[in-house]
Structure formats: C-alpha cells, structure tokens
Amino acid sequence: MTPVWSVPEVVPFVARLAGVRPDFGNCRTMAVLDKNGGMVAGIVFHNWSPEHGVIEISAAAVTPKWATRAVLNTALDYVFAHCQMAVARIAEDNLQARRLWKGLGATEHILPRLRGRTANEAILMLTDDAWAQSKLKRQDHG
C-alpha cells in the first residue's frame, strides 16, 4: 500500500463511503493506493484548529488491508508534526474503525443521538502522547 498526498478524488471517495456530505472545507488529503494504483482508502485531515493543536480525521476504505504500519505512521506522523490531538467521529456501529483507533491508543466517548434520533456517534481522541506510547510507534523506534 502506498500513501499519496493531495489527491482531489479523496474527498468524494471518503464522503461517499462514510455517508457524509463532501464539505470538509479547507483540508489536506491522503490516498492509499494498492499495487495496481487503485485507491483503496482515503484520509481527509480537516477542521484544523492551530491555536489548540487539534485536527479532525475522516477516513474510509474498501478493504481493511490499507491500514499498514507504514501508512498509519505516515498519516499520524503528519498529524503530530502539527498537532497535539487528532479527533475522529465514527458511527457507533462501525466497530472495525473504532477498534483501529482504540488500538492506536485513542480514548472513546459515545454521544447519544449525535447521528440523528436513532444513531449514536463515537468520538475518538488520540493525543500525541498516546501515539508516542502506542505499540505501532514504539516498535518504529525500538
């Protein structure tokens, strides 16, 4: 899997798969390409608050194989070069995405009805300290 920065097609790709509007505003994107050059995942970095050092991440994929150590390190090293915390808003029933974030060291809060009258949303927050202590990062640096 190969990460590629600033691919415009990432925004509609992520929005379509995540079931959200493609209005991420001022954002940076990263596509994840398979060995044939097809986009299998996209990440949108948006809602950056430089004064607080916080950025939101929205991502979607057609296969879980996109989440390699190298791809995750590329994405999160970018985030933590600029921020002290990354935030993701994930549907409560998206157990795979929630498991990935928690595996990276994120803390989770479930907010009732944030996705409408009948759907809850998980807010996951990953700090730079938690990322530095994560298994993924620690193995990167011995």
Side-chain angles (χ1 to χ4, degrees):
M1 299 293 163
T2 305
V4 179
W5 291 101
S6 302
V7 176
E9 295 81 15
V10 168
V11 167
F13 176 89
V14 169
R16 180 176 47 81
L17 290 176
V20 299
R21 288 176 289 170
D23 58 356
F24 293 106
N26 186 21
C27 62
R28 179 131 195 235
T29 62
M30 188 178 93
V32 181
L33 308 181
D34 65 14
K35 64 181 176 183
N36 299 317
M39 185 166 35
V40 296
I43 303 172
V44 181
F45 305 89
H46 58 103
N47 290 339
W48 181 36
S49 175
E51 63 275 15
H52 300 114
V54 177
I55 197 163
E56 189 171 340
I57 298 176
S58 295
V62 297
T63 175
K65 294 179 180 182
W66 77 271
T68 66
R69 177 182 308 279
V71 168
L72 292 170
N73 273 302
T74 297
L76 292 171
D77 284 348
Y78 165 74
V79 166
F80 293 121
H82 307 283
C83 297
Q84 58 90 21
M85 184 167 57
V87 176
R89 296 175 52 173
I90 301 172
E92 184 181 34
D93 62 358
N94 188 342
L95 301 178
Q96 195 168 18
R98 290 173 52 209
R99 190 173 332 135
L100 172 66
W101 274 82
K102 288 188 271 189
L104 297 172
T107 58
E108 177 182 69
H109 302 276
I110 304 295
L111 300 178
R113 297 172 63 161
L114 198 58
R115 288 193 171 227
R117 188 170 297 281
T118 61
N120 301 336
E121 185 164 77
I123 305 296
L124 289 109
M125 299 171 295
L126 179 63
T127 64
D128 54 355
D129 297 325
W131 169 240
Q133 294 303 311
S134 73
K135 291 178 189 174
L136 212 66
K137 196 63 181 164
R138 278 186 288 136
Q139 288 178 2
D140 228 23
H141 299 290

